[in-house]
């Protein structure tokens, strides 16, 4: 007596070939779009608030936030500053790689749809802050909210 059992194929060969062809077509389509350079992200909503900000390290390890237009201190972020410091570190690294200094301010943009964007006009680099969750984006939203009507915040239609 033979104890050898033969198991039928769980999926027919034709079905496996069709699934493989579908994966290959999907990969080819994604590759074609990526290589073509076509932008696949949704356009940004209009900017309703814009603030030019400079950031510097404080002696206590925090981050000083200066309004670039008025030269006034907007905020002093205590301690490490977590997400705020991390986002700025990424932007500063890009400037260093391009041989640029830290003199040029960053632009913090408040969009009509409530989203926030941190833009570095010197390098063109941007961080869409909502991608990191409401708590992290809130660290930057507070910088827009901290302005009083007399502060030089530019509103654009």
């Amino acid at each position: 007596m033979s104890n050898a059992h033969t198991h039928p194929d769980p999926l027919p060969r034709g079905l496996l070939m069709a699934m493989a062809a579908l994966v290959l077509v999907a990969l080819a389509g994604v590759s074609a779009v990526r290589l073509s350079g076509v932008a696949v992200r949704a356009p940004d909503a209009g900017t309703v608030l814009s603030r030019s900000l400079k950031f510097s390290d404080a002696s206590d390890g925090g981050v000083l936030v200066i309004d670039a237009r008025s030269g006034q201190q907007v905020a002093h972020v205590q301690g490490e500053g977590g997400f705020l410091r991390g986002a700025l570190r990424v932007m500063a690294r890009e400037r260093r790689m391009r041989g640029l200094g830290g003199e040029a301010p960053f632009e913090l943009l408040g969009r009509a749809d409530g989203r926030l964007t941190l833009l570095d006009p010197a390098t063109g680099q941007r961080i869409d802050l909502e991608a990191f969750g409401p708590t992290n984006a809130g660290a930057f939203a507070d910088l827009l909210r901290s302005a009083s009507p007399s502060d030089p915040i530019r509103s654009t239609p």
Side-chain angles (χ1 to χ4, degrees):
M1 268 194 174
S2 171
N3 287 344
H5 297 320
T6 58
H7 295 288
D9 288 336
L11 294 174
R13 182 177 171 90
L15 180 60
L16 286 174
M17 290 178 64
M19 290 185 335
L22 180 64
V23 168
L24 289 175
V25 168
L27 285 174
V30 168
S31 297
V33 169
R34 296 285 289 170
L35 293 174
S36 72
V38 173
V40 292
R41 59 189 232 71
D44 291 327
T47 301
V48 294
L49 288 175
S50 173
R51 194 164 203 186
S52 293
L53 300 171
K54 289 187 173 193
F55 300 88
S56 64
D57 292 327
S59 60
D60 65 357
V63 178
L64 295 177
V65 184
I66 310 295
D67 186 297
R69 293 186 184 107
S70 70
Q72 294 180 341
Q73 182 176 320
V74 174
H76 180 177
V77 180
Q78 299 291 329
E80 283 297 309
F83 176 72
L84 185 134
R85 186 179 291 276
L88 295 173
R89 192 175 292 129
V90 168
M91 299 290 238
R93 180 176 174 267
E94 184 67 25
R95 283 185 177 184
R96 279 193 310 277
M97 287 174 44
R98 295 180 185 207
L100 303 172
E103 301 81 33
F106 296 101
E107 291 289 323
L108 181 58
L109 309 174
R111 306 283 183 182
D113 59 4
R115 296 174 1 172
L116 294 172
T117 302
L118 182 63
L119 177 67
D120 184 357
T123 63
Q125 187 177 18
R126 60 182 281 152
I127 298 176
D128 294 317
L129 299 167
E130 75 280 352
F132 299 96
T135 303
N136 288 327
F140 284 93
D142 290 343
L143 299 178
L144 279 179
R145 280 190 229 114
S146 68
S148 69
S150 63
D151 284 341
I153 290 184
R154 180 179 66 225
S155 293
T156 55

